[in-house]
């Protein structure tokens, strides 16, 4: 039962981080991302794929394309570049 509470809280923190990033409050968004990661670690949960792909592993920023992230399609993968310089690559099939 605690897992469902933790999963709900992680989803809520993801929504709050997205809103904070859009409202131009990056430090608040980073705090929400760090809190969600800590909850997942303590409860031994895997973060949802959507959350993992929308956050920077280096600076914990919530990534919004065009605002603080650049998204490019390259040979067989998507490259997401954060403002801090971190590049995340995810495979895709065309």
């Amino acid at each position: 039962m605690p897992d469902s509470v933790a999963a709900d809280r992680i989803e809520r923190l993801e929504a709050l981080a997205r809103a904070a990033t859009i409202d131009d409050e990056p430090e608040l968004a980073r705090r929400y991302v760090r809190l969600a990661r800590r909850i997942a670690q303590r409860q031994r949960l895997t973060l949802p794929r959507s959350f993992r792909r929308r956050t920077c592993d280096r600076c914990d920023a919530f990534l919004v394309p065009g605002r603080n992230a650049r998204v490019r399609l390259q040979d067989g993968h998507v490259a997401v570049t954060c403002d801090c310089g971190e590049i995340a690559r995810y495979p895709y099939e065309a």
Side-chain angles (χ1 to χ4, degrees), residues 47-60:
L47 287 169
R49 179 182 285 181
S50 62
F51 188 86
R52 289 191 315 253
R53 292 199 175 176
R54 290 187 184 131
T55 56
C56 177
D57 290 335
R58 185 195 292 175
C59 69
D60 291 329

Side-chain angles (χ1 to χ4, degrees), residues 39-81:
I39 290 169
Q41 283 179 343
R42 287 189 179 170
Q43 297 298 320
R44 295 188 180 191
L45 294 175
T46 302
L47 287 169
R49 179 182 285 181
S50 62
F51 188 86
R52 289 191 315 253
R53 292 199 175 176
R54 290 187 184 131
T55 56
C56 177
D57 290 335
R58 185 195 292 175
C59 69
D60 291 329
F62 189 84
L63 302 174
V64 176
R67 184 171 293 268
N68 64 351
R70 187 178 73 209
V71 180
R72 298 290 184 261
L73 297 179
Q74 296 177 350
D75 298 324
H77 64 272
V78 178
V80 181
T81 306

Side-chain angles (χ1 to χ4, degrees), residues 77-88:
H77 64 272
V78 178
V80 181
T81 306
C82 179
D83 283 346
C84 73
E86 179 75 5
I87 301 172

Side-chain angles (χ1 to χ4, degrees), residues 4-20:
S4 64
V5 172
D8 291 343
R9 187 151 184 226
I10 289 170
E11 288 178 21
R12 177 69 178 139
L13 287 167
E14 180 180 3
L16 289 171
R18 180 183 303 113

Side-chain angles (χ1 to χ4, degrees), residues 15-34:
L16 289 171
R18 180 183 303 113
T21 301
I22 291 171
D23 293 341
D24 201 29
E25 296 183 40
E27 290 305 316
L28 186 59
R30 279 189 179 90
R31 179 161 168 71
Y32 292 144
V33 169
R34 289 182 185 129

